[in-house]
Amino acid sequence: MPQKTPLYDLHLDNGGRMVEFAGWLMPVQFKGIIEEHNAVRENAGIFDIGHMGQIEVFDKDALQRLVTNDISLLAEWMGQYSFICNEDGTVLDDLIIYRLPDRFLVISNAVNAQNVFEKIKNADPNAAILYETRTAIALQGPLTLERFQKFVKADLKKLKHRQIIPVKINGSFDAVASRSGYSGEDGIELFFDKKAAADLWRQLLLESFEPCGLGSRDTLRIEAALPLYGHEIDAKTTPIDAGFDRFVRFEKGDFSGKEALLEQKKMGASKKLVGFELSGRAVPRQGYDIYSDGKKIGYVTSGTFSPTLKRSIGMGYLFAGTDETAGSPKVAIRDNYFDISFVKLPFYRRPKI
Amino acid sequence: MKPQDLKFTKEHEWISRDGTVGISDHAQHELGDVVFVELPKVGVEKAQGSELGVLESVKSVSSVYSPVSGSVAKINDKLVQTPELVNKDPYGEGWIAQLKISDMQQLAALMTYDQYQAFVGK
């Protein structure tokens, strides 16, 4: 049986179209993917992210030996992006790790939450996964801070990227709030008691936050070139393949996958993550092949019609040694070949204010 | 066009007596925002149930099947630039192609609007 977040019934009442995702029944859309996407780029939207794993870890040294980034560089009340790798260097999951005064809060993908938790629990028997008691909502978009400020006393504008703070929402219940997200926009992610979820969601709707589903979460993250487990990263891909070397801190000491990753760093990656645009409106999708002059040079990991750029975009891997400036690259979509041009990632970067 | 005047398939296409083909309101709703339509070529013969075109939504891709056998007489070129017409007006401006129907009995055998509504559980 798929699991339900505490907002499940409310999503049904609000016209959410529910689909099964990573063992959870989640809304893929409410009004429509493009409308929700645009609401986040232009105003503000809310996402139910109660399916994501929240894992509490207490043993700092144990966690340090599991993840690729260096948590000793992490100040209290700050978060960092990291990988947790298998011994062969492939990605078990990508994580956000927050440092709280007495523990770490590790946020993992829903699909990997149990595997990540088991690996952590083996190293820190006190670690706990919080699905029974906690949930999360992401508020994303340029008007997020302005619209959410009235709920909390702390000055949200002063929060740094990936800073997390304890807040009392409406003076009534405790949460931790971080300035973070997965849309390429400014935003806040709230981690809090499940029992408060439905009330808070309703109040956010009253403040004109657009309810958004997994569909727009995907189109937003593709435009921002944020990787998704099962697409750009998976158990066949290392952080080096994906070009995320900066989140792998070899100098920090031993960690899971270090030897394999060091070896790969010396030998070079087997593939390279790239972004491309299509000449037509057809949509490149995961698993489609990329060709140049009749030869297969790579494959697509994610693609969509970009609501912001109004053209089709994709990410994918090119095999090592491919010269992407040579030949005329194409992506095969059904029986047709569409011209593509490689572009610098991300496709979309939010305007600086 | 009034949906009550159309015939429907189990794959959620509609067809009018003059051979115009589109997808049902139920189908466009399930598909979500259509962003690309692959149209057939005019003059091509299509057997009943063969692929007539392809609709890409943001989330997924799905085929449009020919409700009857016939040759493609016209295609809706407007969908190349404005594929969202499939969502906005599925029984009107969102039509996909017009077939010259070769066997009117195939048309007669399709579901009526009421039968189709019952089929999709409405």
Side-chain angles (χ1 to χ4, degrees):
Chain A
M1 276 291 284
Q3 305 189 73
K4 293 173 183 173
T5 74
L7 294 170
Y8 176 83
D9 290 332
L10 196 51
H11 293 330
L12 285 183
D13 292 346
N14 288 324
R17 192 179 305 163
M18 308 306 282
V19 296
E20 194 174 332
F21 175 78
W24 292 79
L25 283 170
M26 301 299 293
V28 65
Q29 66 166 67
F30 294 87
K31 286 184 193 159
I33 294 174
I34 294 178
E35 193 171 341
E36 292 161 29
H37 179 108
N38 292 338
V40 172
R41 286 276 178 260
E42 290 156 21
N43 301 302
I46 40 175
F47 298 84
D48 178 0
I49 54 168
H51 60 314
M52 299 198 74
Q54 297 183 41
I55 302 168
E56 276 182 340
V57 189
F58 300 90
D59 185 336
K60 181 186 166 193
D61 297 331
L63 186 60
Q64 179 78 318
R65 283 191 298 271
L66 291 176
V67 300
T68 61
N69 209 335
D70 186 352
I71 57 172
S72 73
L73 303 174
L74 193 52
E76 262 183 30
W77 300 111
M78 290 298 295
Q80 78 178 186
Y81 184 71
S82 186
F83 295 96
I84 181 166
C85 286
N86 300 303
E87 286 304 328
D88 66 358
T90 59
V91 179
L92 175 63
D93 202 6
D94 63 339
L95 310 167
I96 302 287
I97 303 172
Y98 293 104
R99 182 170 195 167
L100 306 181
D102 57 340
R103 69 206 140 104
F104 292 86
L105 176 63
V106 175
I107 310 298
S108 86
N109 283 293
V111 67
N112 298 320
Q114 285 304 333
N115 290 339
V116 171
F117 175 57
E118 273 163 37
K119 187 155 174 134
I120 291 177
K121 179 110 178 143
N122 277 333
D124 177 1
N126 293 319
I129 191 160
L130 308 178
Y131 279 131
E132 293 296 316
T133 53
R134 305 285 281 180
T135 195
I137 295 175
L139 295 68
Q140 301 281 291
L143 301 187
T144 294
L145 269 53
E146 184 181 317
R147 288 185 184 167
F148 186 61
Q149 185 61 65
K150 64 159 68 164
F151 290 81
V152 293
K153 281 201 183 124
D155 185 352
L156 295 171
K157 287 192 306 296
K158 290 199 175 138
L159 278 181
K160 295 190 196 93
H161 182 57
R162 294 222 175 102
Q163 187 177 354
I164 190 166
I165 52 165
V167 291
K168 208 169 208 47
I169 294 182
N170 285 334
S172 73
F173 68 93
D174 293 317
V176 283
S178 80
R179 194 165 187 179
S180 55
Y182 191 55
S183 66
E185 296 299 332
D186 194 5
I188 297 279
E189 288 173 302
L190 295 172
F191 306 93
F192 60 99
D193 191 329
K194 262 172 121 159
K195 291 197 282 291
D199 266 354
L200 178 58
W201 187 270
R202 282 194 202 96
Q203 289 173 42
L204 292 168
L205 294 180
L206 293 176
E207 296 304 321
S208 304
F209 282 96
E210 187 75 32
C212 297
L214 292 177
S216 55
R217 191 166 163 82
D218 194 45
T219 54
L220 289 158
R221 71 97 195 162
I222 294 174
E223 286 184 349
L226 299 168
L228 175 60
Y229 197 89
H231 291 256
E232 287 70 37
I233 48 174
D234 57 21
K236 288 179 187 151
T237 305
T238 71
I240 312 284
D241 292 323
F244 292 117
D245 308 40
R246 66 189 181 282
F247 303 107
V248 182
R249 298 289 184 150
F250 291 111
E251 71 285 0
K252 75 169 185 173
D254 271 346
F255 60 90
S256 177
K258 181 180 181 180
E259 272 178 47
L261 290 170
L262 259 181
E263 181 69 15
Q264 191 185 32
K265 186 98 184 160
K266 269 185 259 159
M267 305 293 287
S270 63
K271 53 189 180 181
K272 180 187 174 192
L273 188 67
V274 292
F276 60 87
E277 294 177 352
L278 251 78
S279 55
R281 287 183 63 129
V283 183
R285 299 191 191 268
Q286 183 170 36
Y288 291 4
D289 290 329
I290 302 171
Y291 290 88
S292 181
D293 300 335
K295 194 174 132 228
K296 184 175 163 182
I297 59 167
Y299 58 93
V300 177
T301 53
S302 291
T304 188
F305 178 77
S306 160
T308 307
L309 306 172
K310 300 197 167 47
R311 55 179 175 265
S312 292
I313 58 174
M315 287 188 277
Y317 279 104
L318 298 183
F319 305 130
T322 305
D323 177 4
E324 67 222 58
T325 60
S328 49
K330 296 177 195 309
V331 61
I333 301 181
R334 294 179 291 279
D335 297 331
N336 297 311
Y337 292 86
F338 290 83
D339 289 331
I340 57 174
S341 43
F342 295 110
V343 296
K344 210 168 137 42
L345 294 174
F347 302 100
Y348 167 85
R349 205 184 283 275
R350 81 179 128 108
K352 287 259 188 293
I353 8 164
Chain B
M1 262 171 279
K2 278 202 304 217
Q4 288 79 1
D5 297 336
L6 305 170
K7 287 299 192 77
F8 290 82
T9 71
K10 286 183 177 172
E11 282 76 35
H12 310 286
E13 292 88 12
W14 58 262
I15 181 166
S16 68
R17 285 197 65 78
D18 72 357
T20 306
V21 176
I23 65 162
S24 72
D25 187 50
H26 171 80
Q28 71 77 17
H29 185 77
E30 287 297 305
L31 203 53
D33 299 320
V34 174
V35 294
F36 175 72
V37 182
E38 200 171 285
L39 296 164
K41 290 195 172 66
V42 172
V44 171
E45 291 289 333
K46 290 287 176 186
Q48 185 177 37
S50 66
E51 190 177 80
L52 186 64
V54 177
L55 300 176
E56 298 248 27
S57 72
V58 178
K59 232 13 218 176
S60 65
V61 52
S62 67
S63 296
V64 179
Y65 299 101
S66 195
V68 297
S69 299
S71 63
V72 177
K74 273 192 215 166
I75 53 172
N76 186 1
D77 286 326
K78 270 196 194 166
L79 298 182
V80 175
Q81 286 308 316
T82 48
E84 61 271 21
L85 289 174
V86 174
N87 297 112
K88 284 184 185 149
D89 192 8
Y91 298 124
E93 285 206 86
W95 66 280
I96 291 162
Q98 189 178 15
L99 296 169
K100 190 168 177 292
I101 303 174
S102 50
D103 179 357
M104 289 304 277
Q105 284 189 348
Q106 285 180 344
L107 184 74
L110 298 175
M111 284 183 275
T112 64
Y113 179 67
D114 288 345
Q115 286 166 337
Y116 176 72
Q117 290 296 93
F119 172 71
V120 297
K122 290 280 165 68

